[in-house]
Amino acid sequence: MYELVSPVNPFAVLKYTGHLLLVFSAVLLVPMCAALVLGETSAAVIYGSSALISAGTGVLIQKIIPDFELELKEALILAAVTFPLCSLVSAVPMALSAGMPFLDAYFECVSSLTTTGLSLAPNSPTKLFFFTRSWLQWIGGIGIIVLVLGILIRPGTTAFRLYRVNFGESRVRPSVIATARTLGTVYLVLTLISLTLLLFSGMSFYESVCHTLSAISTGGFSTQAESIGAYEGFLIPFFITISCIMGAISFSLYPEVLKNPKTLIRDPQVRYMLGLSILGTALFALTLSGGNSGPEMLGILPDAVFQTVSALTGTGFSTIDIASLSDASKGFLSAIMCIGGSIGSTTGGIKLFRLIVIVQLIRLVFYRFFLPREAITPLKVKSQVVDPDDVYRIMTYVLLYSVVLVFSAFIFMLYGINSADAIFETSSALATAGLSTGITDPGMPALLKLVLCADMLLGRVEIVPLFILFLPRTWFERSSKTGERKVRKDIA
């Protein structure tokens, strides 16, 4: 409880940052190979050089700095550093190969690795550009720490703490290393299923690969300016919707589903997702029709289903022009984006489990009015009793999430953007959804680009680790004697 009273060991953080750079260098080799296949030789050289520099830096750090056992506080800092650092490393080759300003390239890489989908793409993007950002979304979806755990880290306390910070206490295998590899296998299988579906729909191989990587990671980058709206017919939106839902379900649930398929529908998060999708589709269709019901609702329904699922799962594909929507439609999508999918999935937002706990807490408050004061009524989700400390953490997270959202939207409003669009854009970034009203473009002010970058990063690492990263007490020991006496007294 008092671990953060003492500062973190920066050398321990740096040591495992070396592991991170070494693994991420392999990630950069994939765009290099893609550039060779696509005939973009100069880009292949750029990505190959970047991979070599990243690997060399990682090896050098590991050679110079001795081994450390990672404490929980250092694992938190590493989780906070991972996405900003990897975005920075990947932004350099993207800026050089695509001819983008560095800030725009960094924004694109943050959006990719956080699986958001907001874009500052140049006027004439190459095929490599589209593939690279979809590939980075796929990597960001499974989580870079999973790659580190599955490839480089030995079983032990450090592996457990890294896993705990990123995925919590639940495991599908006895060890966290085996669990990380199992989750990676599940992710790969889901990707192959999604790719097969899109190929079956008639989409070309290149576009199927790009959309599969973005759909299963609930990222939402498309090779088309109109997103999924550029494709005719029913099959492609339908299979994309299936892929979004697969990515929004907790990966730890899939091994259980193989043993007992009924586990899927019994899971409270899945049931809430289906319920919200049905209710949300009806409400969104109502806002699209302007409150009118009738035969025209049938024509709206396919777009309403697709857009509701895309927003709820935090994917960010679209089949309609978001900018032309009414404020009511934008407000609805903003709210449903903030909910997100299951904990343990690739989605962002508050997450369904936290929503379920809040709903159960409200229910319990009203229920207790009819019970004696001495009655014991634990808060439960299904058969699981929720610890009071977990409730405090959930309520703190929701409060921080709301504060960040309001503050970010306020900055947008200072630039003359109306409240509906400001809330929509910042909700999309913080929920790592990626839907846009058109505000996000290369010509937007640099401060707003940085605000959206911060929102995307906060949404991906779930706020607390990034806040801890910037706390002075994380890095510097308190010199106040009063503070020291208070800590000793509390511990005693």
Side-chain angles (χ1 to χ4, degrees):
M1 182 176 178
Y2 296 95
E3 192 177 5
L4 281 175
V5 171
S6 60
V8 300
N9 181 351
F11 293 105
V13 175
L14 190 58
K15 174 72 175 182
Y16 287 93
T17 301
H19 287 294
L20 186 66
L21 289 172
L22 191 56
V23 169
F24 199 72
S25 66
V27 172
L28 294 177
L29 289 176
V30 173
M32 181 196 76
C33 296
L36 292 173
V37 172
L38 295 169
E40 299 183 36
T41 311
S42 59
V45 173
I46 291 170
Y47 275 99
S49 302
S50 299
L52 188 62
I53 293 169
S54 178
T57 305
V59 170
L60 185 63
I61 289 172
Q62 291 185 52
K63 293 289 184 183
I64 293 174
I65 299 177
D67 288 329
F68 290 95
E69 197 68 70
L70 212 59
E71 300 289 343
L72 183 61
K73 57 192 174 187
E74 279 104 33
L76 275 170
I77 298 303
L78 192 63
V81 165
T82 296
F83 287 94
L85 176 63
C86 290
S87 298
L88 186 66
V89 171
S90 54
V92 175
M94 180 173 283
L96 293 174
S97 61
M100 301 172 67
F102 183 77
L103 178 57
D104 289 9
Y106 183 72
F107 182 101
E108 203 76 18
C109 291
V110 168
S111 185
S112 299
L113 287 169
T114 59
T115 70
T116 304
L118 293 172
S119 180
L120 300 178
N123 290 329
S124 301
T126 64
K127 283 190 171 183
L128 176 65
F129 177 83
F130 286 133
F131 170 78
T132 300
R133 63 183 194 171
S134 294
W135 165 248
L136 291 177
Q137 280 195 329
W138 191 80
I139 291 296
I142 188 58
I144 303 163
I145 295 297
V146 167
L147 298 178
V148 174
L149 284 170
I151 297 171
L152 289 180
I153 304 297
R154 295 188 300 272
T157 305
T158 292
F160 172 75
R161 286 169 177 161
L162 277 173
Y163 180 88
R164 179 183 170 190
V165 164
N166 287 273
F167 303 101
E169 303 281 356
S170 62
R171 286 177 280 177
V172 296
R173 293 288 181 268
S175 74
V176 294
I177 300 293
T179 297
R181 290 172 180 165
T182 299
L183 295 178
T185 302
V186 168
Y187 193 53
L188 184 59
V189 170
L190 293 178
T191 303
L192 293 174
I193 292 172
S194 177
L195 179 60
T196 303
L197 291 175
L198 290 184
L199 288 172
F200 177 78
S201 72
M203 193 180 277
S204 70
F205 180 76
Y206 166 76
E207 293 194 344
S208 294
V209 169
C210 291
H211 284 93
T212 292
L213 296 176
S214 293
I216 210 67
S217 64
T218 61
F221 273 139
S222 175
T223 58
Q224 304 294 328
E226 300 86 3
S227 191
I228 306 305
Y231 298 97
E232 295 181 356
F234 169 76
L235 274 182
I236 290 176
F238 177 68
F239 287 145
I240 288 284
T241 301
I242 291 175
S243 299
C244 296
I245 293 172
M246 288 194 300
I249 295 172
S250 176
F251 290 169
S252 62
L253 188 63
Y254 285 104
E256 298 298 321
V257 171
L258 289 176
K259 299 175 185 176
N260 182 6
K262 292 182 180 178
T263 305
L264 184 65
I265 200 63
R266 288 173 183 167
D267 183 73
Q269 294 187 92
V270 173
R271 294 169 72 173
Y272 261 69
M273 186 189 301
L274 294 176
L276 285 170
S277 296
I278 295 169
L279 178 62
T281 296
L283 292 174
F284 187 56
L286 198 62
T287 66
L288 288 176
S289 65
N292 299 318
S293 59
E296 65 271 15
M297 288 284 284
L298 294 177
I300 294 172
L301 207 55
D303 287 332
V305 172
F306 183 90
Q307 216 56 69
T308 299
V309 173
S310 179
L312 179 61
T313 58
T315 308
F317 287 124
S318 61
T319 55
I320 56 178
D321 180 17
I322 302 296
S324 64
L325 295 178
S326 66
D327 285 353
S329 296
K330 291 175 185 176
F332 170 80
L333 289 178
S334 297
I336 206 165
M337 281 191 294
C338 288
I339 295 174
S342 301
I343 283 182
S345 68
T346 61
T347 61
I350 292 171
K351 302 284 177 58
L352 288 166
F353 180 78
R354 294 189 180 102
L355 176 66
I356 294 169
V357 169
I358 293 171
V359 169
Q360 292 296 95
L361 181 62
I362 294 171
R363 175 178 169 273
L364 187 60
V365 167
F366 282 97
Y367 189 56
R368 281 195 62 85
F369 281 111
F370 302 95
L371 293 175
R373 184 184 296 270
E374 63 274 9
I376 299 175
T377 51
L379 180 63
K380 290 184 177 181
V381 174
K382 204 175 177 182
S383 59
Q384 176 186 351
V385 176
V386 182
D387 189 88
D389 286 343
D390 291 331
V391 177
Y392 299 149
R393 281 192 286 268
I394 288 169
M395 299 309 294
T396 300
Y397 177 76
V398 173
L399 177 62
L400 288 173
Y401 191 99
S402 304
V403 169
V404 171
L405 178 59
V406 170
F407 182 72
S408 302
F410 178 70
I411 295 175
F412 272 71
M413 292 178 205
L414 290 177
Y415 277 81
I417 297 168
N418 69 71
S419 57
D421 288 348
I423 292 171
F424 186 94
E425 213 76 7
T426 50
S427 295
S428 182
L430 191 57
T432 67
L435 291 171
S436 176
T437 59
I439 294 171
T440 302
D441 64 49
M444 72 189 300
L447 177 60
L448 297 188
K449 293 177 184 178
L450 292 172
V451 169
L452 290 180
C453 279
D455 285 343
M456 291 186 285
L457 291 169
L458 286 167
R460 185 62 179 85
V461 302
E462 300 204 328
I463 299 177
V464 173
L466 268 180
F467 276 16
I468 291 176
L469 175 65
F470 292 107
L471 284 175
R473 288 184 64 183
T474 301
W475 303 100
F476 305 105
E477 191 169 2
R478 286 187 63 179
S479 58
S480 170
K481 293 183 179 179
T482 304
E484 291 173 2
R485 284 197 297 270
K486 186 178 184 303
V487 169
R488 292 194 192 101
K489 182 179 178 182
D490 288 343
I491 293 174

